[in-house]
Amino acid sequence: MAAVARNTAGGPPSAGKIFQFKLVLLGEAAVGKSSLVLRFVKGHFHEYQESTIGAAFLTQTVCLDETTVKFEIWDTAGQERYHSLAPMYYRGAQAAIIVYDITNQESFNKAKAWVRELQRQANPNIVIALTGNKADLVNKRTVEYEEAQAYADEQGLLFLETSAKSGVNVNELFLAIAKKLPKTEPAGTRGQGQTVNVNAAAEESKGGCCGGGGGSASAAPGGAARN
Amino acid sequence: MKEFISMDPPKLFDLGVRSFFAGFKQDPGHFYHDDQCSRSGPSWAASQIMGTFRRIVSIRQENLCAYVDVIRGKHDRLMIVAEFHSKNLTDISLRSRLSSDQLALFSLSTDIIRGLAFLNRHDLLPLSLTPEMITYDERNNIFKIADFASSNLTGFGSFAPLRPGDARYLAPELLLLGPTAHGAALQAAVVPSSAVWSLGVILCEILQIADFSSLSVAQWVSLILGDALKKKHPSFYESTRDPQATGENSTQTSVIASLDEVLRDCTTYFPSLRPGPVTVLTKFHETVTFSDSPVRSRLYDPLWDVFPPVTLRCRSEVVKTPEVLKVPLASRGIDELYRLWTLAGGDVLGELRAQGFAAEEPAILSLPQLSTGEQTTFAKGHRTSADPSGTLVVLNMKPLLERLDDVAKEVYFPLLLRSDDAIRYLTDYDEMRDLPLVIRENNLKYQLHRQILFHRLFCGYPFTQAMIKKEAAMDVPPLYRARTWAALLGIKGDIVNDYESIDKDSPCSSDRQIEVDIPRCHQYNSLMSSMEAHVKLKRILKAWIADHPQFVYWQGLDSLSAPFVYLNFSDEPLAYACLSAFVTKYVHSFFLKDNTPVIQEYLAVFSHLLAFHDPILATHLSGIGFLPELYSIPWFLTMFTHVFPLHKIFHLWDQLLLGDESFPLFIGLSLLTQLRSQLLSCGFNECILLFSDFPDLDIQQCLNRAKDMFNVTPKCATFRNHARNVSVSKKDSDSEVSPDGDTSASPEGAHVLDLETLKTETCPRITWEEIQWLNNFSRQNGSKRRNGRPLLVDVRTADEFLRGTLAHSINIPFLTAFNADGELLSTFESRTLEEGRGKLVVVFDGKCTMAPKFASELVRLGFPHVTILHHGIDHLKTSGFVSVPSSST
């Protein structure tokens, strides 16, 4: 819990290296993807969290012993129809959280489908975490813990049951991902790599009209300078 | 005759307010109980009451006292405002007059039964009637049922305590349940004839058939139930009536005799044998003939008639009695009056306080005493003793009358059609037009004028549609927003029948998605969080899906529907008709199963428009990879309903609905340009975070900017293949108005461009037809509006240029235009271009090969308003517009 620094967009802690990772949340509609992110990033929970259209973007920083990990989180729309947008967000992602609702077997099946899709099409080194959310509704459980754990073990996924409502295991989930992510490159190159990936994905659908595909956050001052 | 202004409020409607606290009473059998969502608590209960209220507010009939407003105060105090008449059947003199006046008693009975029959038709069954509830409207000489929905509003005691009415008027089937019955059990026991019983008992009381005053409630209950169970007499009337008693009052005896059958029917013990209001009404017509019933003057409010009128009907809006001419304000409907009353400083809570109710409690008293940590708290109840539940307080209308004292009578009866348009408005209102919207919306006299004007315009709808558009371009009176929107969307025909004929119940593949989306759609709004709203939203969504088999449900359609559901809460068919028309106009094809080409085209046009209006921002954003796909899909798919709360959406859509289908793109642009400086100084992450948590923007400023950009954008720049009715859009000449409200004829904007080309290019295309139109336009209107004549730039080689080009064009050959740093080489022509910065630039070559690249370079260099000539000049070779440039140019 204490390892999660809130509102650290301004400046990282002085000690250690900073790593930036792109993380994407996927899963059936209304399983609690946005709620998990909001609990992690803002510490909030809204019982009737509005649905996500397209995708939402948030960032949060996690401090490990030696290093600082900054997550750039893409929270995607759950409705199946928005599926065609998903590759834009998961392509180039270093981590993915696939969420299902422990009270809804169908959402678990959907989660498995997402795992297969990522294994086939995403970054081959992507760290995937399977998450059974709504653990507070344990008396309505339809997906057994053991079943999901066995599946996760078989596929080599991280696995946790969480409750965005009570906060149980939410930070632990992101910490576990942060720990598992390979920390080989310093922040600068990582960050750039991340941004290129977003562009590459976007360009694929955009036809590359913008010319500045290789731009990164460091290109910002250049753009502003022309003003 | 008294002067009307001197203390004569009964000439107007009077309004009364009742206040009570919402609270949730656990009731396992009740269908509202939803343990899965664990929705409960006073706030939730208050939302339920507000939802039900919005349905009930539309139940308007001449024998029912209209409900007008509900206000939610602190601690979930609800204040219900309704039509009020001071005279009711507890009035001794009224009673004694009735007891000997056969005709009046018949009027009373038929009036009340009519009201009950109407309620019956709307599935509203009052628990009972009491003498207090039967009020007399002196102005219209009519009896009305007041407070008819109190039991329905409280969910029969589930959401707020049932007001303990006099049990002596409760029908036997309800007495049987005992005094603690509430919720579903109580609701299930109420039948249409329960209130008929009450009426029977009240009639018996008036006719002094039985003496009530001597009996306690307990005695009464045992008398009735005892009698009923003995089954000796089928009705209370028969068991009580003393056939031997030949009253000393012969008039009364004859009255009783004439009502004999009705009394017997109404007081039948067994609910299954007791006739419902409709049956009683027919009996009444058989037994009673109204020989000389007085002609009643009624105010007729066409807005509550079927909207919109299918055929032109000349209707007298106002009954021109001398009274109305003296107090013209009385010609306005109760909703307008209430709205004016609030604008005149009326404050419902203040009135309650002034009369000693709703006293402030120290906050510490309402702190929870126990909290379980799972959002459940236990607090001490409110001190209800200081605030008797349901006490009626009459609102003081005097300030309203005084403030409108000096308003000329002509204001109440405006002439809509005059030969000289300019004198249509009084100067007062002309001055108001330039004031900020929020001031106009809260100005009493301005709203009086606007409400009357719009009301009159609606009476002539659809023939007044153009005038409604013109007026709405100025502002929309909040009271009539729902109707105005319907008019702007051109809703016509038998919408009720259309809606009812749609299957809203059969399961469909989107059911689960709808089920999970509705409970989280605009839930910050208490009305939208009511079960009533959830049911309506679901029905409307399912109707839309069923009625549009070519489209599917996309998340976001729920948000898009919410403004219509909210505004037309009591008129589902109209809400549906509006949604349907809105989607067709603005988000046409967005809801196709495969909408990728539609969305991509839309966003490509959006990018073009950004480059057109703000090349610096466009260059920066595309440079950092901040692309519309990543942030603007929720804007356009939901027409900003997913971005802004409802109260902002109302003002946004007031303007959006006046624009054509491209206008939302300009609102999107305006949102970007509002945050321009922040966006320019930020990188990708910061930019996208800026839009994840939308900052508080000034909507009016945003709309003004959008309108400005709309006005200087060539029609061609917004052309989309996937827009609605590409070929016919301009035929229907009065269908499109600019957001300023004027019908500006602009040229054909149609041109076909494939998606790949559209996405590759930075700048919008423009057709030669539109360039010519703009040339003519600038010739006629001087250079004020569109920065004069477009600047034509021929980017072919000098040789080609000299062989023939378009009149007034300058030649900047692409191959030699830029230096190694990408800057324009200084020549006479490039300086002309620099000096003309801000003008509409049209870049062309033979076949659009170099022109798009040249245009992109200009955007990179910060040139706004850059376009590409569609098809290039080769296409125009035989048109006669291509000529050898004269040496002077």
Side-chain angles (χ1 to χ4, degrees):
Chain A
M1 202 76 140
V4 174
R6 305 222 179 275
N7 306 319
T8 49
S14 50
K17 290 176 184 170
I18 304 159
F19 293 89
Q20 279 188 50
F21 293 108
K22 181 182 166 188
L23 182 151
V24 62
L25 276 100
L26 300 163
E28 172 82 275
V31 296
K33 295 180 293 300
S34 303
S35 294
L36 277 175
V37 179
L38 277 182
R39 172 61 83 184
F40 173 58
V41 175
K42 298 188 173 168
H44 292 170
F45 176 77
H46 301 292
E47 184 85 49
Y48 310 110
Q49 173 65 33
E50 60 184 12
S51 57
T52 307
I53 313 287
F57 180 81
L58 287 158
T59 59
Q60 176 64 297
T61 305
V62 173
C63 304
L64 299 177
D65 297 335
E66 290 294 304
T67 54
T68 302
V69 168
K70 182 174 181 186
F71 282 117
E72 295 170 332
I73 305 165
W74 284 100
D75 170 25
T76 64
Q79 192 189 10
E80 175 60 25
R81 303 201 193 289
Y82 286 98
H83 198 137
S84 61
L85 291 177
M88 186 159 80
Y89 302 107
Y90 69 64
R91 230 170 264 155
Q94 287 96 356
I97 299 178
I98 294 174
V99 189
Y100 67 91
D101 170 356
I102 65 156
T103 70
N104 180 342
Q105 181 69 38
E106 193 43 50
S107 72
F108 183 57
N109 297 342
K110 180 72 196 162
K112 290 179 179 173
W114 276 118
V115 171
R116 283 193 294 277
E117 178 164 342
L118 289 188
Q119 287 169 342
R120 208 170 50 237
Q121 296 186 29
N123 173 0
N125 302 320
I126 191 167
V127 173
I128 303 177
L130 180 69
T131 303
N133 193 36
K134 306 198 188 177
D136 50 292
L137 299 178
V138 73
N139 55 346
K140 292 195 175 154
R141 174 193 289 280
T142 59
V143 182
E144 291 309 321
Y145 181 89
E146 293 73 20
E147 182 191 356
Q149 179 72 65
Y151 172 76
D153 290 346
E154 176 192 313
Q155 301 293 324
L157 317 173
L158 288 171
F159 174 67
L160 274 176
E161 282 196 347
T162 56
S163 166
K165 185 171 180 172
S166 69
V168 165
N169 272 350
V170 175
N171 291 335
E172 288 75 0
L173 168 71
F174 285 87
L175 277 174
I177 295 169
K179 280 180 191 151
K180 195 171 171 186
L181 280 162
K183 287 157 216 73
T184 48
E185 294 162 80
T189 25
R190 265 293 174 192
Q192 196 154 12
Q194 186 271 336
T195 318
V196 170
N197 283 328
V198 167
N199 279 332
E203 245 170 50
E204 213 150 291
S205 58
K206 246 285 216 195
C209 73
C210 311
S216 69
S218 62
R226 277 195 290 274
N227 187 11
Chain B
M1 201 76 170
K2 271 194 296 180
E3 191 59 42
F4 74 85
I5 206 69
S6 64
M7 308 287 291
D8 207 359
K11 290 255 192 276
L12 282 181
F13 282 107
D14 263 343
L15 293 168
V17 58
R18 286 175 200 275
S19 146
F20 56 90
F21 288 107
F24 186 66
K25 205 164 181 181
Q26 201 72 14
D27 176 9
H30 201 278
F31 89 100
Y32 282 116
H33 182 65
D34 183 358
D35 65 341
Q36 191 189 352
C37 299
S38 66
R39 293 191 172 210
S40 59
S43 296
W44 183 73
S47 292
Q48 302 318 307
I49 294 174
M50 295 189 65
T52 312
F53 183 87
R54 284 290 295 269
R55 175 161 64 89
I56 283 164
V57 80
S58 72
I59 309 276
R60 300 283 172 97
Q61 197 260 358
E62 59 186 9
N63 302 114
L64 300 172
C65 285
Y67 282 91
V68 180
D69 194 18
V70 61
I71 298 154
R72 186 175 186 166
K74 267 193 206 167
H75 311 303
D76 297 300
R77 173 198 296 282
L78 292 167
M79 289 159 270
I80 306 267
V81 182
E83 177 184 344
F84 169 74
H85 300 280
S86 57
K87 271 227 167 87
N88 61 41
L89 285 191
T90 56
D91 185 307
I92 303 294
S93 65
L94 182 60
R95 273 199 199 200
S96 69
R97 204 190 87 200
L98 283 167
S99 68
S100 57
D101 183 343
Q102 183 180 343
L103 215 56
L105 209 55
F106 285 163
S107 295
L108 162 77
S109 309
T110 46
D111 280 353
I112 299 309
I113 294 283
R114 271 198 207 103
L116 288 177
F118 189 82
L119 289 177
N120 204 177
R121 237 193 346 271
H122 288 82
D123 294 324
L124 271 183
L125 306 179
L127 213 51
S128 71
L129 297 175
T130 61
E132 205 188 359
M133 286 165 74
I134 301 182
T135 61
Y136 179 55
D137 176 355
E138 288 177 285
R139 187 167 146 218
N140 294 303
N141 184 26
I142 194 169
F143 287 93
K144 295 182 168 185
I145 309 174
D147 201 23
F148 57 86
S150 65
S151 42
N152 288 278
L153 277 172
T154 60
F156 288 83
S158 294
F159 308 133
L162 265 180
R163 199 138 26 80
D166 193 332
R168 285 177 298 190
Y169 300 98
L170 274 179
E173 63 270 21
L174 303 175
L175 287 176
L176 270 177
L177 298 175
T180 56
H182 75 277
L186 182 57
Q187 190 173 10
V190 181
V191 291
S193 61
S194 296
V196 170
W197 166 277
S198 310
L199 178 66
V201 173
I202 291 170
L203 288 176
C204 288
E205 191 182 12
I206 291 172
L207 292 168
Q208 293 158 12
I209 291 168
D211 188 10
F212 290 65
S213 50
S214 59
L215 292 175
S216 74
V217 172
Q219 283 170 315
W220 171 260
V221 171
S222 61
L223 170 78
I224 291 291
L225 291 183
D227 258 359
L229 295 173
K230 260 184 264 163
K231 297 186 183 175
K232 193 173 160 203
H233 298 284
S235 74
F236 169 68
Y237 169 66
E238 285 158 293
S239 67
T240 317
R241 179 188 53 165
D242 184 359
Q244 270 69 49
T246 46
E248 66 276 17
N249 184 341
S250 61
T251 331
Q252 197 162 325
T253 317
S254 77
V255 172
I256 295 174
S258 70
L259 278 169
D260 190 72
E261 194 187 346
V262 171
L263 287 170
R264 198 181 314 138
D265 281 349
C266 291
T267 59
T268 302
Y269 286 123
F270 282 89
S272 53
L273 299 173
R274 195 186 316 132
V278 182
T279 320
V280 178
L281 200 56
T282 53
K283 293 216 171 185
F284 246 97
H285 283 296
E286 281 164 21
T287 49
V288 181
T289 48
F290 289 94
S291 47
D292 54 348
S293 53
V295 179
R296 284 161 172 170
S297 68
R298 298 276 156 75
L299 288 173
Y300 176 60
D301 188 345
L303 284 189
W304 295 105
D305 202 357
V306 177
F307 177 92
V310 186
T311 50
L312 176 63
R313 275 172 281 172
C314 287
R315 292 184 290 192
S316 161
E317 186 191 348
V318 170
V319 184
K320 288 179 185 61
T321 59
E323 188 189 318
V324 162
L325 290 173
K326 262 201 264 111
V327 195
L329 190 59
S331 68
R332 309 314 308 163
I334 194 163
D335 297 290
E336 279 189 26
L337 281 176
Y338 174 69
R339 170 89 196 161
L340 295 172
W341 178 81
T342 56
L343 292 178
D347 167 22
V348 173
L349 187 60
E351 297 265 330
L352 281 174
R353 293 237 170 91
Q355 305 199 27
F357 299 108
E360 278 281 357
E361 255 181 8
I364 195 161
L365 292 180
S366 55
L367 279 180
Q369 293 170 330
L370 181 66
S371 175
T372 62
E374 285 181 12
Q375 302 187 335
T376 315
T377 53
F378 297 92
K380 207 179 74 172
H382 302 282
R383 288 182 304 133
T384 42
S385 58
D387 199 8
S389 218
T391 307
L392 192 103
V393 169
V394 183
L395 302 182
N396 180 10
M397 300 298 269
K398 213 174 143 197
L400 174 63
L401 286 165
E402 284 171 357
R403 290 220 13 217
L404 293 178
D405 189 19
D406 58 344
V407 171
K409 288 200 178 81
E410 301 86 84
V411 170
Y412 292 94
F413 310 100
L415 287 176
L416 297 179
L417 299 165
R418 288 193 195 182
S419 51
D420 185 358
D421 219 25
I423 57 167
R424 220 176 67 215
Y425 299 100
L426 300 173
T427 34
D428 288 7
Y429 306 119
D430 255 350
E431 286 165 11
M432 293 289 300
R433 280 200 238 181
D434 298 326
L435 292 174
L437 183 66
V438 61
I439 292 182
R440 278 177 282 154
E441 282 192 349
N442 291 301
N443 183 284
L444 174 64
K445 287 179 186 172
Y446 186 72
Q447 285 304 315
L448 173 76
H449 155 73
R450 298 295 282 172
Q451 286 177 7
I452 293 168
L453 182 65
F454 273 76
H455 189 280
R456 283 188 71 105
L457 288 173
F458 292 140
C459 293
Y461 182 84
F463 305 96
T464 48
Q465 193 185 15
M467 286 176 78
I468 294 173
K469 282 188 179 183
K470 200 162 181 182
E471 292 298 335
M474 208 136 64
D475 56 54
V476 175
L479 183 67
Y480 289 137
R481 177 164 284 125
R483 302 284 158 168
T484 308
W485 283 13
L488 294 180
L489 286 165
I491 309 297
K492 294 186 184 97
D494 192 351
I495 53 172
V496 175
N497 191 41
D498 289 351
Y499 183 64
E500 275 167 7
S501 65
I502 303 171
D503 172 13
K504 297 171 275 289
D505 303 311
S506 299
C508 73
S509 60
S510 298
D511 281 351
R512 153 153 156 99
Q513 192 64 50
I514 292 173
E515 289 290 343
V516 299
D517 285 348
I518 285 176
R520 42 195 190 142
C521 178
H522 293 276
Q523 295 300 292
Y524 57 87
N525 178 285
S526 60
L527 185 61
M528 292 310 292
S529 69
S530 67
M531 297 302 285
E532 196 96 24
H534 290 186
V535 170
K536 279 175 197 295
L537 190 51
K538 181 178 167 183
R539 271 206 299 262
I540 284 172
L541 288 173
K542 290 201 63 156
W544 190 84
I545 295 163
D547 205 27
H548 297 82
Q550 70 275 38
F551 298 126
V552 296
Y553 174 78
W554 281 79
Q555 274 188 317
L557 187 64
D558 53 335
S559 255
L560 189 69
S561 312
F564 294 119
V565 172
Y566 181 91
L567 286 180
N568 299 293
F569 206 78
S570 46
D571 193 345
E572 227 175 281
L574 187 57
Y576 174 74
C578 288
L579 170 70
S580 200
F582 183 92
V583 170
T584 306
K585 183 172 179 187
Y586 293 102
V587 273
H588 188 69
S589 322
F590 275 40
F591 297 105
L592 281 173
K593 195 164 186 189
D594 177 17
N595 63 6
T596 316
V598 184
I599 301 259
Q600 289 203 353
E601 185 190 45
Y602 201 90
L603 298 183
V605 170
F606 181 63
S607 298
H608 287 182
L609 289 174
L610 181 61
F612 183 85
H613 285 287
D614 197 337
I616 294 169
L617 186 60
T619 307
H620 169 68
L621 295 183
S622 71
I624 59 169
F626 185 73
L627 305 174
E629 282 84 339
L630 298 173
Y631 62 88
S632 71
I633 291 176
W635 298 3
F636 297 122
L637 190 83
T638 70
M639 282 296 135
F640 309 100
T641 50
H642 200 263
V643 183
F644 295 114
L646 282 171
H647 70 272
K648 285 193 172 179
I649 286 297
F650 293 149
H651 287 138
L652 193 78
W653 279 20
D654 278 351
Q655 297 284 329
L656 187 141
L657 286 165
L658 287 164
D660 66 10
E661 62 268 17
S662 73
F663 190 59
L665 286 163
F666 293 92
I667 298 179
L669 279 188
S670 189
L671 292 181
L672 283 182
T673 51
Q674 290 253 310
L675 299 168
R676 188 173 193 273
S677 57
Q678 284 155 280
L679 290 170
L680 280 176
S681 62
C682 287
F684 179 84
N685 282 2
E686 291 78 13
C687 281
I688 211 142
L689 284 172
L690 199 57
F691 286 116
S692 311
D693 227 343
F694 228 93
D696 198 24
L697 293 178
D698 180 343
I699 293 290
Q700 286 313 312
Q701 204 184 326
C702 196
L703 287 166
N704 290 339
R705 177 98 184 92
K707 278 192 276 185
D708 291 346
M709 288 190 282
F710 178 89
N711 284 335
V712 297
T713 306
K715 194 76 198 134
C716 290
T718 64
F719 176 77
R720 292 180 298 122
N721 286 312
H722 291 289
R724 163 189 72 136
N725 300 335
V726 169
S727 52
V728 281
S729 63
K730 281 295 141 202
K731 302 283 185 287
D732 191 4
S733 61
D734 75 335
S735 73
E736 305 301 341
V737 233
S738 80
D740 287 334
D742 39 75
T743 325
S744 59
S746 58
E748 193 67 59
H751 58 82
V752 177
L753 199 60
D754 63 283
L755 185 58
E756 278 318 303
T757 314
L758 194 71
K759 291 201 298 186
T760 316
E761 297 181 357
T762 313
C763 296
R765 299 273 186 118
I766 188 168
T767 60
W768 176 242
E769 289 75 21
E770 180 150 17
I771 295 171
Q772 283 179 294
W773 183 86
L774 287 172
N775 275 331
N776 287 335
F777 187 89
S778 65
R779 206 173 303 142
Q780 285 160 13
N781 298 274
S783 57
K784 273 183 211 158
R785 198 160 161 212
R786 293 190 196 235
N787 283 329
R789 188 191 285 282
L791 201 57
L792 302 176
V793 184
D794 188 339
V795 300
R796 296 173 302 165
T797 61
D799 279 357
E800 287 171 293
F801 175 74
L802 289 171
R803 276 202 293 273
T805 189
L806 297 168
H808 307 293
S809 50
I810 54 171
N811 182 222
I812 309 179
F814 179 53
L815 296 173
T816 55
F818 304 96
N819 67 16
D821 296 332
E823 280 153 8
L824 264 178
L825 285 171
S826 178
T827 61
F828 171 75
E829 284 79 11
S830 69
R831 281 194 297 278
T832 311
L833 188 58
E834 285 284 3
E835 282 157 18
R837 225 178 234 269
K839 278 190 176 185
L840 180 66
V841 177
V842 181
V843 181
F844 67 90
D845 62 351
K847 288 193 169 61
C848 287
T849 46
M850 293 172 296
K853 292 180 191 126
F854 188 95
S856 303
E857 293 300 309
L858 290 186
V859 169
R860 184 181 51 76
L861 293 170
F863 278 89
H865 304 164
V866 180
T867 59
I868 302 158
L869 176 64
H870 188 52
H871 285 317
I873 191 174
D874 289 0
H875 190 67
L876 296 169
K877 269 192 175 147
T878 55
S879 66
F881 292 109
V882 179
S883 57
V884 173
S886 63
S887 52
S888 62
T889 45

